[in-house]
Amino acid sequence: MMSPNSRVWIYTCNRAMTQQETEYSHGQLTDFCHQWTAHNQALKASVEIRANQIVILTVDESLAGASGCSIDKSVRFLENLGQTLSVDFFERMRFGWLDDTGQLQVADKLQFLELLEQGTIHADTLVADTLVQTKQKLDEQWLIPYGKSWVKRVV
């Protein structure tokens, strides 16, 4: 169980991965988390992939804190994994939201704007807050109304 104060990093992929790519990525990232260290101390880390497109890395810093070098290791790992799969895990202009069926959807900025104009997405639509920095915030405020989100400022 990860502490509510655990640090969270969220990466949005430039496209939805296939189920096979998602399973491969999850396995590779899980192996990375088990070997991830900071200053020769093992980090208690986990990974989650949502909607085949959003990667969430979590580190419980109550045992050992993530350092700049350890964070760089995770970035390099994701860059290499992305090259292997021909995907970009560092796409910042993709936005997630819950559709009418409660499923998480992801679209690029242009698609998102079109959905706004069509009224499919509106002020009360729940969007993913990919800027949360702790597990507690992820658990409690991962989905927030579009009208109150940072997404509204950039779209």
Side-chain angles (χ1 to χ4, degrees):
M1 182 92 180
M2 296 294 233
S3 160
N5 296 323
S6 297
R7 284 180 68 185
V8 171
W9 293 269
I10 300 174
Y11 302 93
T12 306
C13 193
N14 66 322
R15 67 167 173 82
M17 294 182 285
T18 65
Q19 190 60 36
Q20 183 178 8
E21 289 172 327
T22 299
E23 290 169 8
Y24 175 79
S25 296
H26 191 271
Q28 293 295 305
L29 286 161
T30 297
D31 289 347
F32 171 79
C33 286
H34 290 143
Q35 299 171 22
W36 198 4
T37 61
H39 303 292
N40 295 321
Q41 287 191 309
L43 295 175
K44 182 179 178 184
S46 67
V47 64
E48 179 184 356
I49 300 176
R50 295 183 181 178
N52 294 335
Q53 202 162 3
I54 299 172
V55 174
I56 302 168
L57 289 177
T58 305
V59 173
D60 185 342
E61 294 188 305
S62 63
L63 303 174
S67 65
C69 291
S70 65
I71 295 166
D72 289 347
K73 287 179 196 174
S74 68
V75 169
R76 278 193 305 278
F77 187 87
L78 281 165
E79 287 172 340
N80 291 334
L81 181 60
Q83 287 176 357
T84 299
L85 298 174
S86 297
V87 298
D88 180 0
F89 289 105
F90 301 92
E91 175 59 58
R92 295 293 179 209
M93 287 294 123
R94 291 193 71 77
F95 310 103
W97 77 96
L98 286 188
D99 66 15
D100 292 338
T101 67
Q103 295 295 309
L104 183 63
Q105 302 294 326
V106 181
D108 65 28
K109 186 175 182 178
L110 228 68
Q111 295 165 321
F112 197 87
L113 278 169
E114 288 174 16
L115 293 167
L116 271 170
E117 289 171 8
Q118 296 167 3
T120 303
I121 295 174
H122 47 77
D124 294 328
T125 299
L126 295 177
V127 296
D129 184 355
T130 55
L131 300 181
V132 296
Q133 296 182 353
T134 65
K135 182 168 181 345
Q136 182 172 0
K137 294 278 187 193
L138 179 69
D139 291 344
E140 295 173 359
Q141 298 173 6
W142 162 249
L143 298 171
I144 57 175
Y146 168 74
K148 296 178 180 178
S149 73
W150 67 269
V151 175
K152 183 177 179 188
R153 292 190 303 273
V154 299
V155 174

